[in-house]
């Protein structure tokens, strides 16, 4: 499976649950040859419908910056279906306002310091709990994104979901790889007032480390000078986040079972390279 997957076109996706022309979904397209990952281009989608149609028309192995599953503790306490696909159908059928109300009530009943339920992969990856609805609203990203993957017939290895053999979706998290390089330094912001030189220097450090192969993934990024400028000039970090997800997808493409641990809970899933 790893050999077949390594021949698929690679994508890394910086996702938005409410994309627009100002804040689109950004997709990094690439290919991997041994330890070399070539950035072939960036595409942007201002609507969920446009992005979903694009996914359904192509073959890819992708790293997506959105959660694919909810914490088992949350699902069991709410009495929702414990099988992943049934749980996602139930979740996607709820309006966002209801999602917020249900999750807020869950948190309100829990002690300070333990309001949110976590998946097993959240702490190793340093990611936000997938039930969080603000800052960042990853619960809404799951709500909007997973139905697109299912509509595309994707295979989701971490959830034991068999689908199209040439559309393989993996949960990625750019912050995991970025922190390996710059620690807790911020490298992006959607607030123009926070587009500082310090954040630019952090983006430079990340791009330099990727191109020089100085991460535990053991891969080096190849890109043109113009592409490098795009990654550095995008102070929102969306283009760079898409590339970080692309690198995680390339790592997974070369691993047995796409790097998903054998002990993973298919209800919760796993973040690539955590």
């Amino acid at each position: 499976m790893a050999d077949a997957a390594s021949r698929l076109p690679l994508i890394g996706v910086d996702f938005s649950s409410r994309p627009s022309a100002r804040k689109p979904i950004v997709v990094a397209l690439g290919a991997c040859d041994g330890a070399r990952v070539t950035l072939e281009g960036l595409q942007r989608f201002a609507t969920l419908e446009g992005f979903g149609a694009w996914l359904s028309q192509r073959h890819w192995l992708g790293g997506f910056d959105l959660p694919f599953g909810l914490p088992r503790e949350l699902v069991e306490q709410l009495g929702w279906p414990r099988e992943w696909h049934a749980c996602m159908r139930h979740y996607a059928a709820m309006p966002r306002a209801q999602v917020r109300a249900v999750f807020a009530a869950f948190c309100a009943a829990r002690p300070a310091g333990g309001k949110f339920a976590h998946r097993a992969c959240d702490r190793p990856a340093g990611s936000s709990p997938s039930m969080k609805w603000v800052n960042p609203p990853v619960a809404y990203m799951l709500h909007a994104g997973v139905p697109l993957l299912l509509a595309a017939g994707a295979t989701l290895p971490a959830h034991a979901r068999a689908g199209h053999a040439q559309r393989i979706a993996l949960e990625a998290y750019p912050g995991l790889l970025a922190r390996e390089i710059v620690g807790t330094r911020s490298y992006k912001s959607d607030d123009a007032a926070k587009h500082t030189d310090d954040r630019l220097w952090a983006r430079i450090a990340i791009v330099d480390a990727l191109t020089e192969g100085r991460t535990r993934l053991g891969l080096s990024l190849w890109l043109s000078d113009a592409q490098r400028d795009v990654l550095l000039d995008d102070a929102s970090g969306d283009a760079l986040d898409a590339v970080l997800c692309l690198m995680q997808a390339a790592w997974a493409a070369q691993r047995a079972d796409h790097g998903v641990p054998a002990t993973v809970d298919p209800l919760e899933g796993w973040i690539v390279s955590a």
Side-chain angles (χ1 to χ4, degrees):
M1 177 61 78
D3 289 342
S6 66
R7 293 192 294 270
L8 285 172
L10 300 174
I11 61 173
V13 179
D14 180 71
F15 189 73
S16 171
S17 61
R18 293 188 185 276
S20 65
R22 186 188 66 81
K23 184 70 173 177
I25 295 167
V26 182
V27 180
L29 301 96
C32 188
D33 182 8
R36 171 175 169 165
V37 181
T38 301
L39 177 62
E40 297 180 333
L42 295 166
Q43 287 194 231
R44 293 171 172 83
F45 298 88
T47 67
L48 292 171
E49 294 78 12
F51 177 56
W54 185 87
L55 288 176
S56 296
Q57 293 164 4
R58 285 163 175 76
H59 296 162
W60 42 263
L61 184 149
F64 294 76
D65 182 18
L66 70 140
F68 288 5
L70 292 166
R72 176 170 290 277
E73 178 186 6
L74 171 73
V75 171
E76 292 184 348
Q77 184 164 324
L78 294 177
W80 289 1
R82 300 183 185 186
E83 189 274 325
W84 177 80
H85 191 202
C87 183
M88 290 299 100
R89 288 199 306 266
H90 177 84
Y91 184 61
M94 299 171 63
R96 287 188 185 182
Q98 185 180 358
V99 168
R100 179 188 178 101
V102 169
F103 288 179
F106 175 91
C107 292
R110 290 162 66 91
K115 294 293 186 181
F116 292 101
H118 292 263
R119 297 179 296 163
C121 61
D122 288 335
R123 290 189 173 92
S127 61
S128 296
S130 61
M131 64 172 296
K132 194 174 184 183
W133 62 91
V134 289
N135 300 325
V138 288
Y140 297 156
M141 294 166 70
L142 186 158
H143 189 268
V146 167
L148 300 181
L149 299 177
L150 291 173
T155 291
L156 287 86
H159 300 276
R161 175 68 180 176
H164 199 298
Q166 294 182 306
R167 294 190 192 117
I168 300 173
L170 301 159
E171 183 179 338
Y173 178 49
L176 173 61
L177 187 51
R179 275 197 302 274
E180 179 185 339
I181 301 166
V182 296
T184 58
R185 291 166 59 195
S186 176
Y187 64 95
K188 61 181 180 176
S189 177
D190 287 331
D191 183 350
K194 296 180 179 179
H195 293 173
T196 63
D197 287 345
D198 285 345
R199 288 186 170 86
L200 171 59
W201 282 111
R203 291 196 297 280
I204 291 171
I206 292 170
V207 172
D208 285 350
L210 294 179
T211 55
E212 294 166 12
R214 291 188 284 105
T215 76
R216 64 185 175 85
L217 299 186
L219 302 169
S220 59
L221 173 67
W222 288 63
L223 73 173
S224 68
D225 290 342
Q227 289 171 331
R228 177 186 173 88
D229 289 344
V230 169
L231 299 186
L232 298 181
D233 292 345
D234 179 5
S236 72
D238 294 346
L240 182 52
D241 280 349
V243 169
L244 289 165
C245 290
L246 175 70
M247 299 299 287
Q248 291 174 317
W251 178 88
Q254 299 183 4
R255 297 296 182 282
D257 300 321
H258 308 95
V260 176
T263 56
V264 71
D265 182 344
L267 177 62
E268 293 190 343
W270 195 256
I271 293 171
V272 169
S273 77

